[in-house]
């Protein structure tokens, strides 16, 4: 019996980037059961609302539904996460922190539970709040920030505190963004009792959309769907040149769009694909970089886009299906470029694929797991038919459960179903608390008028030139995204930076996609390339070298947003462009990213040579830049430069080889 490359599903329930603070508590006994019951109840609660919609009495208001979502999530976070890494170092501290966290959980239930029952009434009289409501507001605000810190690390709470201080002491800020300042009472009222506070748009997206798709991912993982996608990619591409790297690209794109976390995707798929890439001859830092870039791209790949697209839909009031359609071709360009880069690197190093005898058969993989393609197809179909993402997520979960019964080996019994319900809630709890903290930031920005001030400032700095404003926006997005989850990064940038782009004439969808891309790509941008560093740990490679290699491999992703700003026809179904114009822009963009891949790798794609001289690489790079902005003149010049580089590549490569041979002979 021959040995085949197979995978095992990961048991990791929570993304690694959500474990930056204190680490997770080892639950046992009654506490483990309590946390499990809360998680299952939370998941069932969202499945119920996914089918029947926002609850009727005794929970009569949409904001009360959001509050219930946050209340359960905060309770889980305080039970699951330790306050710091030393909290479990001794029996005394373990008992002390456990008692403290139980108290915090109870306070959270009181503070947020009050909103579950009384938000409509409290909102209507927010200008005449009771004194004790301010105390509840202060306690809840601190608890939300602490829960977000434990689940997502310190970045979001620190930013939130900075914005709170800015709202309170705005008179001391620089003149360009200064304001009169607000009282603590006004701040607490805005955060706790107003529609744009902790129960605002960010938490709405978490409650209505994100949770169900995270739960869908948990069901897919427990049922073996994740293993199927990895094996399918490996069976399809494993035997070709650089096969494991290409399999990593495909499998990470499929899993990354569902997982919602680039780091979590690196840990799950990378633990299998990175060793395979190293085994056939890729350098360890290159293998880690490939996985990091492929996993980060999952955030921009429809149909799910890591759940951040749901938040975008709410922020700009654009249907989710429209966002997915618009994002499709840019995401394909991103992965085409990465696919070419790993192929050209394999060509340069003379790497082969994995022998067919060591690979699973494509026919066998499909025969054993084809049913896992049905839920993804169902999501796309329902969104095209204008069903809400809430309904699509609910249907996908039930569909996943149903298709597991097609084969005995994948059948989900009651323990597996309960485990999926728990895993989904455990993962989503941290995101919900982070979204509550993001609501604090949004509230302070709106109350202080910072978005308008900052937009004016950015436009002034750009001198009214769109390209300069785009570059400033790109830098802001990358800096803000370092260390932040994609959703958090996007929400902050959408209220701070996107308005400036809209003022300069960009459609809201284009502006928001622009910042969304760069927020996602911050995870592979040194010095804080968290996805690349996670991959470096698995690859046992130098983190900084892995980070810079990932940045080079993902450089096309930094250019794609400029392509759809200047050639909006590539955003399918958005601009109303003719089919001819759309095809023209797509072909131009594909040729452009091909030229860029050859320039960055230094390897020609058509000739037999394995190296390009510096003049050729420079011509290819210039050609790729010209092909970014669609137009007959720029495209013609770009194509001519690309043709010159390709026509001379064979001669230069042979001459280089002859020089090398003469040196060796000498």
């Amino acid at each position: 019996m021959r040995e085949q490359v197979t995978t095992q599903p990961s048991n990791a329930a929570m993304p690694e980037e959500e474990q930056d603070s204190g680490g997770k508590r080892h639950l046992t006994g009654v506490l483990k059961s309590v946390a499990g019951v809360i998680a299952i109840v939370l998941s069932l609660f969202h499945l119920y609302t996914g089918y029947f919609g926002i609850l009727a009495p005794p929970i009569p208001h949409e904001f009360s539904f959001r509050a219930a979502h946050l209340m359960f999530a905060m309770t889980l976070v305080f039970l699951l996460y330790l306050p710091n890494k030393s909290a479990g170092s001794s029996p005394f501290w373990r008992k002390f922190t456990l008692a403290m966290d139980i108290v915090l959980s109870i306070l959270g239930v009181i503070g947020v539970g009050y909103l579950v029952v009384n938000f409509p009434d409290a909102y209507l009289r927010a200008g005449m709040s009771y004194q004790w409501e301010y105390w509840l507001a202060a306690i809840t605000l601190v608890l939300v920030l602490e829960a977000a810190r434990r689940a997502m690390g310190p970045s979001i709470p620190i930013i939130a505190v900075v914005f709170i201080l800015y709202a309170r002491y705005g008179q001391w800020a620089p003149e360009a963004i200064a304001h009169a300042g607000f009282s603590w009472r006004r701040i607490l009222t805005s955060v706790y009792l107003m529609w744009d506070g902790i129960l605002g748009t960010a938490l709405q997206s978490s409650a209505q959309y994100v949770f169900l798709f995270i739960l869908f991912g948990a069901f897919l993982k427990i049922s073996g769907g994740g293993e199927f996608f990895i094996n399918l990619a490996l069976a399809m591409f494993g035997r070709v040149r650089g096969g494991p790297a290409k399999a990593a690209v495909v499998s990470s794109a499929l899993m990354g769009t569902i997982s919602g976390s680039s780091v979590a995707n690196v840990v799950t798929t990378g633990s299998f694909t990175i060793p395979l890439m190293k085994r056939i001859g890729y350098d360890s830092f290159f293998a880690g970089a490939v996985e990091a870039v492929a996993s980060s791209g999952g955030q921009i790949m429809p149909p799910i886009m890591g759940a951040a697209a749901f938040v975008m839909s709410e922020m700009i009031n654009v249907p989710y299906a429209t966002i997915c359609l618009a994002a499709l071709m840019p995401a394909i360009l991103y992965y085409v470029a990465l696919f070419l880069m790993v192929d050209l690197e394999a060509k340069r190093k003379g790497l082969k694929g994995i022998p067919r005898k060591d690979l699973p058969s494509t026919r066998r993989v499909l025969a054993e797991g084809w049913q896992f393609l049905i839920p993804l197809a169902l999501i796309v179909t329902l969104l095209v038919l204008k069903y809400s993402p809430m309904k699509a997520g609910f249907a996908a979960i039930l569909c996943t459960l149903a298709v597991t019964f097609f084969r005995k080996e994948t059948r989900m019994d009651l323990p597996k179903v309960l485990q999926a319900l728990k895993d989904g809630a455990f993962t989503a709890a941290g995101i919900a608390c982070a979204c509550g903290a993001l609501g604090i930031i949004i509230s302070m920005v709106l109350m202080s008028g910072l978005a308008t001030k900052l937009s004016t400032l950015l436009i002034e700095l750009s001198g009214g030139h769109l390209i300069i404003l785009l570059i400033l926006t790109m830098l802001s997005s990358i800096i803000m995204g370092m260390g932040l989850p994609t959703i958090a990064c996007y929400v902050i940038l959408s209220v701070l930076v996107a308005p400036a782009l809209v003022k300069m004439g960009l459609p809201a969808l284009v502006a928001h996609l622009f910042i969304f891309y760069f927020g996602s790509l911050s995870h592979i941008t040194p010095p804080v390339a968290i996805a690349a560093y996670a991959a470096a740990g698995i690859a046992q490679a130098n983190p900084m070298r892995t980070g810079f290699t990932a940045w080079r491999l993902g450089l096309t992703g930094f250019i794609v947003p400029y392509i759809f700003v200047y050639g909006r026809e590539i955003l399918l179904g958005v601009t109303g462009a003719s089919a001819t114009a759309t095809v023209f822009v797509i072909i131009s963009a594909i040729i452009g990213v091909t030229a860029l891949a050859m320039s960055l790798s230094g390897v020609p794609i058509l000739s037999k040579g394995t190296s390009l001289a510096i003049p050729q690489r420079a011509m290819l790079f210039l050609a790729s830049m010209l092909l970014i902005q669609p137009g007959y003149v720029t495209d013609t010049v770009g194509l001519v430069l690309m043709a010159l580089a390709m026509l001379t590549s064979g001669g230069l490569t042979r001459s280089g080889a002859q020089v090398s041979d003469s040196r060796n002979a000498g």
Side-chain angles (χ1 to χ4, degrees):
M1 183 178 178
R2 66 190 185 196
E3 181 183 358
Q4 289 187 338
V5 178
T6 57
T7 62
Q8 294 297 327
S10 170
N11 293 324
M14 298 188 182
E16 289 295 320
E17 68 186 23
E18 297 172 16
Q19 301 176 29
D20 289 341
S21 182
K24 290 185 290 184
R25 176 178 277 115
H26 179 64
L27 299 176
T28 58
V30 175
L31 191 62
K32 181 178 181 180
S33 300
V34 169
V37 169
I38 294 173
I40 292 171
V41 169
L42 178 58
S43 292
L44 293 176
F45 171 70
H46 279 280
L47 285 172
Y48 179 88
T49 56
Y51 182 75
F52 292 103
I54 306 302
L55 297 180
I59 302 181
H61 200 280
E62 179 183 344
F63 291 94
S64 298
F65 162 70
R66 302 179 196 177
H69 170 74
L70 180 61
M71 180 182 69
F72 282 114
M74 283 179 59
T75 304
L76 280 177
V77 166
F78 285 124
L79 293 179
L80 292 172
Y81 290 91
L82 292 165
N84 54 66
K85 293 180 180 179
S86 62
S89 58
S90 68
F92 170 77
W93 283 112
R94 284 197 295 270
K95 292 179 181 179
F96 176 78
T97 54
L98 176 59
M100 179 185 70
D101 288 346
I102 291 174
V103 172
L104 293 180
S105 298
I106 294 172
L107 289 175
V109 170
I110 294 172
V112 185
Y114 176 78
L115 297 177
V116 174
V117 180
N118 295 298
F119 184 85
D121 173 66
Y123 173 75
L124 291 175
R125 55 173 177 76
M128 298 179 293
S129 302
Y130 302 120
Q131 183 65 37
W132 51 270
E133 285 182 327
Y134 297 124
W135 286 105
L136 270 183
I139 292 171
T140 304
L141 177 117
V142 172
L143 291 175
V144 169
L145 292 178
E146 171 61 11
R149 182 193 70 83
R150 294 193 188 191
M152 293 287 186
S155 301
I156 297 175
I158 289 174
I159 295 172
V161 170
V162 169
F163 276 93
I164 291 171
L165 294 176
Y166 167 72
R168 178 65 182 88
Y169 302 106
Q171 65 272 26
W172 301 105
E175 183 178 354
I177 58 172
H179 61 89
F182 297 91
S183 67
W184 287 115
R185 176 169 291 196
R186 175 72 183 278
I187 290 172
L188 291 173
T189 299
S190 178
V191 167
Y192 187 63
L193 297 176
M194 300 299 289
W195 62 268
D196 56 355
I198 60 175
L199 302 185
T201 303
L203 191 68
Q204 176 189 10
S205 300
S206 173
Q208 292 189 4
Y209 310 132
V210 175
F211 187 97
L212 285 172
F213 279 87
I214 289 176
L215 188 59
F216 166 61
F219 270 84
L220 203 60
K221 183 187 297 183
I222 294 294
S223 65
E227 179 184 2
F228 162 73
F229 289 127
I230 296 175
N231 277 337
L232 179 61
L234 199 60
M236 293 174 63
F237 300 103
R239 65 179 178 273
V240 301
R241 182 172 65 193
K246 294 173 181 175
V249 171
V250 175
S251 61
S252 295
L254 292 171
M255 291 302 297
T257 188
I258 298 169
S259 73
S261 167
S262 58
V263 178
N265 198 30
V266 166
V267 173
T268 52
T269 61
S271 59
F272 174 72
T273 58
I274 290 174
L276 278 179
M277 284 187 270
K278 291 173 64 177
R279 194 177 88 182
I280 69 162
Y282 282 108
D283 294 319
S284 58
F285 66 87
F286 189 89
V290 169
E291 181 57 47
V293 177
S295 294
S296 297
Q299 307 288 298
I300 61 176
M301 174 58 73
I304 300 175
M305 298 174 66
F310 301 123
V311 184
M312 187 185 300
S313 176
E314 293 296 326
M315 297 293 288
I316 61 177
N317 195 29
V318 171
Y320 174 73
T322 301
I323 294 174
C324 287
L325 185 61
L328 180 61
M329 279 310 304
I332 290 175
L333 287 177
Y334 178 91
Y335 279 105
V336 165
L338 179 58
F339 205 85
L340 288 171
M341 291 287 282
V342 299
D343 181 69
L344 294 175
E345 177 70 10
K347 179 180 179 181
R348 185 181 70 83
K349 296 177 72 71
L351 304 181
K352 306 298 182 183
I354 298 175
R356 185 189 296 269
K357 63 182 180 64
D358 294 332
L359 289 171
S361 163
T362 304
R363 181 177 298 178
R364 179 182 172 186
V365 171
L366 285 172
E368 294 179 352
W370 63 270
Q371 66 272 17
F372 292 115
L373 297 173
I374 298 177
L376 292 179
L378 179 63
I379 290 174
V380 175
T381 302
L382 291 177
L383 292 176
V384 169
L385 294 176
K386 307 298 183 182
Y387 283 86
S388 71
M390 206 170 181
K391 285 285 194 294
F394 171 81
I397 293 169
L398 289 190
C399 181
T400 302
L401 180 60
V403 299
T404 64
F405 284 86
F406 288 8
R407 298 184 69 251
K408 181 179 179 181
E409 293 78 4
T410 61
R411 190 172 302 156
M412 290 186 70
D413 54 16
L414 182 59
K416 287 184 177 180
V417 171
L418 295 178
Q419 188 62 49
L421 293 173
K422 288 190 288 186
D423 285 357
F426 288 164
T427 302
I431 295 176
C433 294
C435 287
L438 291 173
I440 297 171
I441 297 172
I442 295 174
S443 177
M444 298 300 97
V445 169
L446 295 177
M447 187 170 67
S448 63
L450 178 62
T452 302
K453 296 181 177 71
L454 193 59
S455 296
T456 303
L457 182 61
L458 285 172
I459 292 173
E460 289 178 357
L461 287 174
S462 69
H465 299 289
L466 179 60
I467 185 62
I468 297 177
L469 180 59
L470 290 173
I471 293 172
L472 291 173
T473 302
M474 175 186 71
L475 295 174
S476 302
S477 303
I478 291 172
I479 293 170
M480 185 66 72
M482 291 180 177
L484 282 178
T486 305
I487 293 178
C489 176
Y490 165 70
V491 169
I492 295 173
L493 292 168
S494 67
V495 296
L496 289 179
V497 180
L501 295 175
V502 175
K503 283 185 179 180
M504 287 288 285
L506 286 187
L509 177 56
V510 177
H512 282 251
L513 277 177
F514 188 87
I515 61 173
F516 177 54
Y517 264 66
F518 286 113
S520 301
L521 293 173
S522 65
H523 290 180
I524 57 170
T525 306
V528 189
I530 57 176
Y533 296 162
I538 298 173
Q540 297 180 335
N542 180 279
M544 193 58 67
R545 189 174 186 185
T546 304
F548 278 105
T549 304
W551 176 82
R552 178 173 64 86
L553 292 176
L555 190 59
T556 299
F558 292 83
I559 297 174
V560 165
Y562 292 92
I563 295 178
F564 63 66
V565 166
Y566 289 103
R568 297 173 200 169
E569 296 85 354
I570 205 169
L571 301 177
L572 303 178
V574 174
T575 61
S578 65
T580 303
T582 300
V583 171
F584 176 79
V585 171
I586 291 173
I587 293 175
S588 172
I590 291 176
I591 296 173
V593 299
T594 303
L596 182 63
M598 289 189 289
S599 173
L600 294 174
S601 64
V603 180
I605 197 169
L606 295 177
S607 69
K608 295 182 179 180
T610 58
S611 64
L612 291 168
I614 291 178
Q616 294 168 305
R617 297 178 70 171
M619 283 192 291
L620 287 168
F621 186 82
L622 181 58
S624 68
M625 295 300 102
L626 288 170
L627 288 162
I628 288 176
Q629 185 169 354
Y632 292 111
V633 175
T634 54
D635 284 359
T636 300
V637 176
L639 289 171
V640 169
L641 285 173
M642 188 175 177
L644 286 174
M646 296 303 297
L647 288 172
T648 58
S649 64
L652 289 176
T653 301
R654 285 193 297 272
S655 65
Q658 290 170 358
V659 171
S660 177
D661 291 342
S662 65
R663 287 177 180 173
N664 292 334

